[in-house]
Amino acid sequence: MQEILQYLFSGITNGAIYAVIAVGFSMLYNSTELINFAHGEFVMLGGLGIVTLWGGSLLPLPAAFVLTVIGVAFVGFLLERVALRKVSRSQPIVLVIITIGASIFLRGIGMLIWGKDAHAIPSFTKLSPMDVFGAKLMPQSILILAIVLLVVVGLHLFYRKTLTGKAMQACAINEKAAWLSGIPSDQMVLLAFFLSAGIGAIAGIIIAPITMCGYDMGILLGLKGFCAAMLGGLGSLWGSLVGGLLLGISESLGVGYVSSSLKDAIAFLVLLLILYIRPTGILGIKEAKRF
Amino acid sequence: MRQIIPIKKGIKRLCLFLAASLLFSSPALSKDTFKIGGVFSVTGRASFLGDPEKKSMEMLVNQINAKGGIDGRLLEAVIYDTEGDPQKTVNAVSKLINKDQVIAIIGPSLTPTTLAVVPFAERSKTLLISCAAGILITEPVKPWVFKTAQSDALAVASIYQHMKAQGIKKAAILSVSDAFGESGKQQLEKQADAYGITVIRSETFGAGDTDMTPQLTKIRKENPEAIICWGTNPGPAVVAKNVKQLGLQIPLYQSHGVASPKFIELASDAAEGIYLPTGKILVADLLPDNDPQKPVLQNYIKEFESRYNMPVSGFGGYAYDAVRMLAEALKGSNGDKEKVRAALEEMKGFVGVSGVFSFSKTEHNGLSPDAFVMVQIRNNTWELIR
């Protein structure tokens, strides 16, 4: 009982982080049908941003949080404006390769600014771990879960309740028709990049206290987030949440009950199995591109 | 500008000049020097090893030459950068052997690059003193290959000696899944019996993993008396944090792979109470005055830091020891390669930065477990355990 709870706590914490990253992938795919392989680098920038701004005690936590998210969102904005806009009528494969190039570029910049060593910051709360039936629950885990739910619910409301959100969705469903009805689709794509990069930064910020941040952390986290998005159904917000949690929990149970050296293999096996049974992902709709 | 000197006259003058320069050539050139080679990963991923190694070698060669060299002959160092790439190392070593015709080679910095050039050193009968840690370099013993870095096996022995003294019998291993972790795990499992310790569980983690709680939960189930974590930053710092979060009240041992101030910075509070083996350079000032290595270490630290204005690391010490021992072996050899090799092989009790070296026909690393000391992290700094 104690063990299984501990595996679940660990799995849910990691899964929640995968979920935020997956949400970033998903919402961008929704608006642009583009898979952004530089997304992991936004996570890295978020993590290292908070290390500098808050860990270096330049700013109080809330201010550092907001500033980091906006800063990274602006990097996403620049990526679209400078690198992708110029070729936006091009084939998807070209755009995907541009994002891969951007990820290498951003990683290099990260290495130049923050160096090759990892960095650490203390936990956001000073509370000590809670005891739940003998298993330890970190206050940071609860914080992470709360932030993840806030992000997903916030995005859900944004798409359903605001005009801008609806306009973005309209662009996703049919860009030309949206354009004909007066929606500036270029700006919508720009906004999508802005939001997606900001969400990536949030993932980086909340993961920073539980692990170490380095310039190369984006590779693995981006990959895990992409898996979670595929697992849940690319393009579905709630699917990303489910996919992330499922990936996190299967990893941690895999370590606990099978073998720690097979940890990543188990997670990817789950992904393969689910895609084999349900190619659109758990919550993905038939074409895997609509809400 | 016009040519003023007629060509014929010019040639005559040139001949005179050449003849004169042959007559009065400086002793620092050609046959009157001992030529030694260096191959280090000065740039690239492993530059943290190669860069201080190159600097230490240059510093020492300058010092020896300033004192008049060896047997009245100056040292001439030819150093190439391997970039940590085995192929480039092979090229550099071939060049040193065939073109530069060096007496001996210091380096390379890494185990893979060293293993790649061992056959070349053996075939050409050129002395190779490696600065890498891998046990495969000197086991089995190759006549022309030596190394100055401490093997993992010695670090494992130090940990187990400490555990035995504490009465610990059941240990769990948590190692990173790369070459360093794998080698540590093998040594830990191999030597456990000799110290009456049982390894009750062995788990691994990925170099980029963000949470090791599941592995530790699994380990906790077996009730070990100590946990040994084997890896390089940042993984072990995450392990230290997780151990603290889970409230595990058993000693945590780390490897020498994290013996740097960076680890304390990363793990912060969670580093408190951790035991680890380290080369003595990290705690040179804490060593008792009767430690034979203390003056050597303090001297090296002072020289290196004043010359390069950067903090010293144990890595440069590998090259420093190698050059010092080579200089010792060169004495009276007149540059004969076999004589130098034999002198090195017979060297006993040579006090270096990395330990006290005693070579023999069957031992080409020459160090014993006392090359390491056990330290505990207390109040964010190292404390020597006696």
Side-chain angles (χ1 to χ4, degrees), chain B residues 43 102 124 136 272 300 307 311:
Chain B
T43 59
V102 295
S124 66
L136 288 173
E272 198 66 16
Y300 172 61
R307 187 182 165 105

Side-chain angles (χ1 to χ4, degrees), chain B residues 166-215:
Chain B
Q166 305 279 308
I168 293 169
K169 295 212 156 45
K170 287 192 295 177
I173 303 171
L174 186 52
S175 60
V176 66
S177 52
D178 65 14
F180 181 72
E182 202 53 45
S183 155
K185 189 172 110 179
Q186 273 175 16
Q187 285 299 324
L188 283 166
E189 283 169 353
K190 196 173 134 194
Q191 295 187 32
D193 281 348
Y195 293 89
I197 290 163
T198 343
V199 175
I200 51 173
R201 188 156 273 288
S202 183
E203 295 290 326
T204 62
F205 59 88
D209 280 4
T210 52
D211 179 27
M212 284 56 150
T213 316
Q215 284 93 328

Side-chain angles (χ1 to χ4, degrees), chain A residues 160-227:
Chain A
R160 289 288 147 90
K161 303 286 177 201
T162 69
L163 198 59
T164 322
K166 284 178 181 166
M168 254 173 98
Q169 240 184 330
C171 280
I173 292 165
N174 191 324
E175 201 185 327
K176 206 155 228 169
W179 184 73
L180 282 173
S181 45
I183 298 170
S185 60
D186 275 3
Q187 284 182 27
M188 289 299 132
V189 170
L190 209 53
L191 184 65
F193 263 94
F194 190 79
L195 284 178
S196 154
I199 291 169
I202 293 178
I205 293 171
I206 57 177
I207 200 178
I210 64 167
T211 183
M212 311 290 150
C213 298
Y215 77 98
D216 54 355
M217 69 190 281
I219 308 171
L220 197 68
L221 285 173
L223 194 66
K224 293 274 169 71
F226 176 65
C227 272

Side-chain angles (χ1 to χ4, degrees), chain A residues 8 11 27 47 57 76 116 130 132 151 189 194-195 201 237 239 272 283:
Chain A
L8 282 178
M27 73 156 296
S57 36
K116 283 182 191 167
M130 279 170 273
V132 185
V151 167
V189 170
F194 190 79
L195 284 178
L237 275 183
L272 279 180
L283 292 186

Side-chain angles (χ1 to χ4, degrees), chain A residues 2 6 10 118 209 255 260 263, chain B residues 203-204 209 211 217-218 262:
Chain A
Q2 184 193 357
Q6 194 69 62
S10 163
V255 170
S260 50
K263 176 186 158 198
Chain B
E203 295 290 326
T204 62
D209 280 4
D211 179 27
T217 308
K218 204 170 170 186
K262 188 78 200 168

